[in-house]
Amino acid sequence: MALMSIGVLSLARWQFAMTTVFHFFFVPFSIGMAFVVAIMETMYVVKKDETYKKMAQFWGKIFLLSFAVGVVTGIIQEFQFGMNWSNYSRFMGDIFGAPLAIEALLAFFMESVFIGVWMFTWNRFKPAVHVWFIWLTMIGSMCSAIWILAANSFMQHPTGFAINQATGRVKMTSFGAIIANPQLWKVFPHVITGAILTAATVVVGIAAFGLLRKHNHDFFKKSMRIGLWVSLFAAVAVIVAGDFQTQQIIKDQPMKFAATEGVYKDTGKSAPWTVIASFDTDKHETKSSIEIPKVLSLLAYHKTTGSVQGMNSLNQELHAKYDKKFGADMNYYVPVKTVFWSFRVMAGGAALLLLTSILGLIFTRKNKNTIENKRWLLWVLGICTYTPFVFNSAGWLITELGRYPWLVYGLQTIADGVSPTTTAGQLWFTNIVYFLMFSLMGAVMVFYSRKIMIKGPDDDGAGYGATANNDPFSKEAFGR
Amino acid sequence: MSALQLLWFILIAVLFIGFFFLEGFDFGVGMATRVLAKNDDDRESLIATIGPHWDGNEVWLITAGGAMFASFPLWYASLFSGYYILLFLTLCALIFRGVSFEFSANAETAGGRRFWYWALCIGSTVAPFLLGMMFTSLIQGLPMDKNGDIFAGLWDNVNLLSIVGGVAVTLLCLIHGLNFIRLKIDGNLRDRARNLVEKLYWVLFAGEVVFAILLFIFTDFFKERPISTLLLLVLIVALSAISMYCAYADHEGWGFITSGLTLGSIVILLFNGLFPRVLIADNPAHSLLIKDASASPYTLKIMTIVACILLPIMLAYFIWSFFIFKRRVKASA
């Protein structure tokens, strides 16, 4: 029985990781794409140049593909809390359900209705009206990010609650405090700028592949310019927003911060930054590392002095704080290696994309426009298409694994949240099917996006049928 | 039971009614891509009738789930964990049909298109069947312990009533979808939809009678709430009779509205039978009640305020979007 329940817990965690990571390939991309396409269509409205209309429609096709996959994989997320984590849902329902319901009511309806209108009304509305539909879609998708992050922020840093003494469950005491959670307003800008960077990088990358194929030269170059400018600003913004978020994490979740930087022992007055390191996670020590003096103090406090607390002393503090309630055999060390390396992938990735944006902008500038001769750079930009998805996932791994062993920080452990009714057999079955389904969908998505790129902007495509001119809701439908 | 608890119980029902009314015809159109369409041009025209709407319609389900989580977390937790495999398969069906709209439009080979068209049809058939099964199985008294954990075996999910319930919901969705097609398309497909839907009503009546009998045998609806249950059954049959009359008399609009209302009144029948419970246990002492399953009064109050602000706005643009696409889809030759 004991072995069986460990199996269920690991399998349920694996399923959550797999479904959210896959979902989160498409969500930031869709949010960012809505933004990029909205910019393109706005340029069409302002400059009245048909190229920009073509651009919005062409990139819109890839946006719609990703949106569709994002929507359907999102339903899994909402069901999953009840299916695999019913005890969590019972414990947290008073708080967690509200943002989810508001997300659906406010954001999902908005984005799904206006994207439907946007898709099919290019010839029905004046451009200056039509462009609003994509902006409303984008606003809807950004609103959804606020609400789901409000729910997640509570799990990272609970605010506005009390424990119901009769049931032992969490009870909402202040809706305002849940919305005002400082975590939320630090993580939201980071996620949104990351989303925009993702989409811009993909636009640049696909345009680079288009240029390598040497067709629709002007179209892809113009798209690339827009993408590069957006990615430049987004890359800077995502780094700045990440820095703000770090400040918050140091305060609320010092264990998470110590793990991202691989700090076991409390540092001295001026903390060195570990570039890379190898760890012994059993003995809780760093085996070997390359360090740069003072930089960690700089990252953490924006000055050359200031010590950072290590995981070992944090572990003792957490034991002192929680042993009475959760028992002495809790392990408060987060998965150090994964979190440490994920941080390096994510932060290094942002730096890489900043660099490629600058390079791209240099070689596409008006008077010295030589990018088509720089095939190496086109290849680099092309390959970069795939990278932001890895960087985004790494960011989420830090956020979610850094919460270990808590489901809700300080209130409920992961092990206490899992559904008592779910069996390992069921989880094996659903994990395997999800995995196969996601592999198929991811492959098809990439395949069709590539097809769209090859066909270029002048292909009208099949799409859905057009509408004719008679009205079924006229009188004839309701009686003769 | 407080007034807000009652309000949210009703609101959950309303969201499910909205879902079945709207997504019901999407499912029906999805099924019609096999039973009605003869070639890919037909299919493309049929898909065009729901192209702008299916996504918004599906959000009703997500909203119903979210609202259930927010207002009755214990109901949500027990229901979703208790119907693990049924819900998982429903998700698979919804996923495949959801992506099929975009993927079939992008597929270039005949094989690729065929695959996604099949995904659309099978997904649109399986999803309402499984949801119908779930709703008609959960009214029969579940093996639920005092913590609300449901340890349901296969035969709790799959039994005579739940199969008939699943088939009835699927059939009604098909009828509803065909009525929608009659409204939204012209020419050959419109006539064929008329011919098919007329026949299906007779099957539906047979199904409704069987369903009523099984409801009497398998549930405590007639014991707990005999009069309202009976009245609602009469309402369901009356609505489908009106819908059939309209179908024959070519009142396409009313036919569509009444077939949707038939679906809606089935949801009312189930919620009426559940009341004042949200889940019925085989041991009555373990049944989950509205008064125990809900969120705190504070959360309910917040959610009520939020819903009062957001629902009217949402309904306004939702209805507007149908108004935008009120014209008929050009049918293939």
Side-chain angles (χ1 to χ4, degrees), chain A residues 165-184:
Chain A
Q165 295 305 334
T167 59
R169 297 182 184 123
V170 174
K171 197 176 80 176
M172 196 193 291
T173 57
S174 165
F175 184 67
I178 287 172
I179 306 299
N181 191 337
Q183 275 266 345
L184 167 61

Side-chain angles (χ1 to χ4, degrees), chain A residues 209-221:
Chain A
F209 281 127
L211 287 178
L212 281 169
R213 300 181 71 89
K214 294 184 175 164
H215 70 163
N216 296 302
H217 185 270
D218 284 348
F219 177 83
F220 280 126
K221 192 127 103 198

Side-chain angles (χ1 to χ4, degrees), chain A residues 78 84 94 124 469-470 472 477, chain B residues 62 76 183 253 324 326-327:
Chain A
E78 194 202 53
N84 285 341
D94 205 42
R124 301 264 298 275
N469 266 331
N470 57 21
Chain B
I62 303 173
Y76 166 84
L183 270 182
I324 297 274
K326 63 182 182 177
R327 286 179 264 182

Side-chain angles (χ1 to χ4, degrees), chain A residues 106-164:
Chain A
L106 178 70
F108 291 161
F109 271 121
M110 194 162 154
E111 56 180 0
S112 62
V113 166
F114 285 106
I115 203 173
V117 175
W118 180 78
M119 279 164 86
F120 295 103
T121 56
W122 281 95
N123 303 323
R124 301 264 298 275
F125 291 96
K126 278 188 236 141
V129 176
H130 187 263
V131 70
W132 281 100
F133 303 145
I134 186 73
W135 280 111
L136 284 167
T137 306
M138 189 211 72
I139 293 169
S141 63
M142 288 197 179
C143 283
S144 94
I146 293 185
W147 291 102
I148 194 64
L149 289 173
N152 182 271
S153 295
F154 185 91
M155 297 165 75
Q156 308 286 348
H157 178 65
T159 51
F161 74 100
I163 298 290
N164 181 338

Side-chain angles (χ1 to χ4, degrees), chain A residues 307-340:
Chain A
S307 69
V308 171
Q309 209 179 349
M311 286 180 273
N312 291 340
S313 68
L314 285 165
N315 181 48
Q316 282 169 1
E317 279 180 17
L318 288 166
H319 271 292
K321 193 169 171 192
Y322 293 117
D323 274 1
K324 231 165 102 188
K325 197 168 160 211
F326 292 95
D329 53 354
M330 288 283 288
N331 170 26
Y332 292 104
Y333 287 98
V334 302
V336 178
K337 284 181 191 165
T338 320
V339 171
F340 178 83

Side-chain angles (χ1 to χ4, degrees), chain A residues 23 38 66 68 75 111 121 131-132 193 207 225 227 243 264 278 283 351 353 356 371 387 392 430 445 475:
Chain A
H23 180 56
S66 142
I75 317 175
E111 56 180 0
T121 56
V131 70
W132 281 100
T193 47
R225 276 297 279 189
D243 180 55
Y264 272 111
S278 66
K283 288 186 194 148
L353 294 179
T356 55
I371 195 154
T387 57
N392 287 338
T430 53
M445 168 79 201
K475 269 191 185 150

Side-chain angles (χ1 to χ4, degrees), chain A residues 256-370:
Chain A
K256 184 190 274 181
F257 178 71
T260 58
E261 300 300 359
V263 181
Y264 272 111
K265 291 193 196 110
D266 297 359
T267 65
K269 235 193 153 104
S270 135
W273 185 60
T274 310
V275 188
I276 49 171
S278 66
F279 301 104
D280 187 328
T281 47
D282 293 329
K283 288 186 194 148
H284 304 305
E285 61 185 28
T286 309
K287 280 194 290 201
S288 59
S289 62
I290 300 173
E291 294 179 349
I292 309 176
K294 296 187 181 180
V295 173
L296 184 56
S297 298
L298 211 61
L299 286 173
Y301 307 110
H302 299 167
K303 54 185 187 190
T304 51
T305 54
S307 69
V308 171
Q309 209 179 349
M311 286 180 273
N312 291 340
S313 68
L314 285 165
N315 181 48
Q316 282 169 1
E317 279 180 17
L318 288 166
H319 271 292
K321 193 169 171 192
Y322 293 117
D323 274 1
K324 231 165 102 188
K325 197 168 160 211
F326 292 95
D329 53 354
M330 288 283 288
N331 170 26
Y332 292 104
Y333 287 98
V334 302
V336 178
K337 284 181 191 165
T338 320
V339 171
F340 178 83
W341 287 109
S342 294
F343 182 77
R344 268 134 199 85
V345 168
M346 177 188 76
L352 169 75
L353 294 179
L354 179 61
L355 183 72
T356 55
S357 317
I358 293 170
L359 280 179
L361 282 170
I362 289 175
F363 290 110
T364 52
R365 68 187 190 276
K366 272 215 177 69
N367 45 0
K368 204 175 175 218
N369 202 345
T370 55

